[in-house]
Amino acid sequence: QVQLQQSGAELAKPGSSVKISCKASGYTFTSYAMHWIKQTTGQALEWTGYIAPGSGGTKYNEKFKGKATLTVDKSSSTAYMQLSSLTPVDTAVYYCARRGEIRGSFAYWGQGTLVTVSS
Amino acid sequence: DVQMTQSPSYLAASPGESVSISCKASKSINTYLAWYQEKPGKTNKLLIYSGSTLQSGTPSRFSGSGSGTDFTLTIRSLEPEDFAVYYCQQHNEYPYTFGAGTKLELK
């Protein structure tokens, strides 16, 4: 069965960077784009972007260009999202997610990684 | 970006009742609307995509309708496990955008 296992919570200082991971299993990693979604306290969900593991191609929400960088390691079926120049507004839970039957609807989600930015 | 307006924000109901949640898009998204269920300690669950297509494993008491800009999620005969937060999401164009959520609480 498809599983997306994310790395643990991060506590980071303002101005620093963090890199969170999402290890995929149960399917051919290079066959599906991996998407990342931000959820802030108060529930708001924002689509951050996706990476196509086979080609390494990416597409970002304009709002997250320069903030998020998506990469993959095909050898370990792991996707990464690096968040740079962190500020308190980056404090959120970040999810990786994969489509199901149809583009853009997310049938598979990771459990989420809490990133807290605080001095 | 397509703005998704979801209502109500909170809904209180009892098991056995039927409820409806509305989601309105700021422009036409054809039928590309998904509904998700969020529960503590569980990964988010896709219930419906393309407006009305039930994801495999979604109980038949859930239904989705609508096209263009107006969509509705209906849950007939609520079960105890249905009390959760529900989100809509348009998957018609980038950037994909979500509604703010509806918390369905036990009355």
Side-chain angles (χ1 to χ4, degrees), chain B residues 1-91:
Chain B
D1 298 359
V2 181
Q3 303 303 312
M4 305 301 294
T5 303
Q6 195 173 333
S7 62
S9 299
Y10 296 93
L11 187 54
S14 301
E17 293 183 350
S18 295
V19 296
S20 292
I21 299 169
S22 170
C23 187
K24 295 184 186 293
S26 60
K27 61 186 259 191
S28 175
I29 56 170
N30 300 297
T31 59
Y32 294 111
L33 194 283
W35 290 98
Y36 299 90
Q37 180 189 67
E38 178 188 83
K39 297 176 77 172
K42 295 193 173 184
T43 59
N44 291 338
K45 183 179 181 182
L46 173 64
L47 299 172
I48 289 168
Y49 59 90
S50 296
S52 60
T53 303
L54 264 61
Q55 172 68 6
S56 175
T58 300
S60 59
R61 63 182 179 273
F62 290 86
S63 64
S65 62
S67 64
T69 61
D70 290 355
F71 298 84
T72 302
L73 172 69
T74 300
I75 313 172
R76 292 181 295 102
S77 190
L78 282 164
E79 296 285 343
E81 61 266 28
D82 298 336
F83 293 92
V85 180
Y86 293 87
Y87 295 95
C88 62
Q89 176 232 333
Q90 64 84 13
H91 55 105

Side-chain angles (χ1 to χ4, degrees), chain A residues 1 25 30-31 34 38 41 45 54 68 71 76 79-80 83-84 91 94 96 105 112:
Chain A
Q1 70 282 22
S25 60
T30 52
S31 294
M34 189 68 77
K38 176 185 181 182
T41 305
L45 291 158
T71 57
S76 63
Y80 298 92
L83 299 167
S84 60
T91 295
Y94 293 86
C96 58
S105 61

Side-chain angles (χ1 to χ4, degrees), chain A residues 39 43 59 102-104 106, chain B residues 36 38 50 87 89 91 96:
Chain A
Q39 184 173 36
Q43 304 174 357
K59 185 173 185 67
I102 192 165
R103 177 185 71 85
F106 304 117
Chain B
Y36 299 90
E38 178 188 83
S50 296
Y87 295 95
Q89 176 232 333
H91 55 105
Y96 299 140

Side-chain angles (χ1 to χ4, degrees), chain A:
Chain A
Q1 70 282 22
V2 174
Q3 289 192 323
L4 303 176
Q5 184 65 39
Q6 296 186 231
S7 51
E10 300 271 2
L11 174 61
K13 293 192 183 302
S16 68
S17 298
V18 294
K19 190 172 185 178
I20 61 180
S21 67
C22 171
K23 183 172 176 58
S25 60
Y27 70 99
T28 302
F29 180 63
T30 52
S31 294
Y32 295 88
M34 189 68 77
H35 297 253
W36 291 86
I37 294 155
K38 176 185 181 182
Q39 184 173 36
T40 51
T41 305
Q43 304 174 357
L45 291 158
E46 293 181 279
W47 177 79
T48 303
Y50 76 75
I51 184 166
S55 65
T58 55
K59 185 173 185 67
Y60 293 93
N61 185 333
E62 286 291 323
K63 181 178 177 180
F64 292 93
K65 282 185 177 178
K67 171 62 62 178
T69 303
L70 305 182
T71 57
V72 296
D73 177 356
K74 289 189 280 188
S75 68
S76 63
S77 298
T78 302
Y80 298 92
M81 179 169 70
Q82 179 165 319
L83 299 167
S84 60
S85 303
L86 290 168
T87 73
V89 299
D90 297 316
T91 295
V93 176
Y94 293 86
Y95 295 96
C96 58
R98 203 212 85 176
R99 61 168 277 185
E101 293 293 318
I102 192 165
R103 177 185 71 85
S105 61
F106 304 117
Y108 305 99
W109 293 68
Q111 81 277 23
T113 296
L114 173 63
V115 174
T116 303
V117 183
S118 174
S119 55

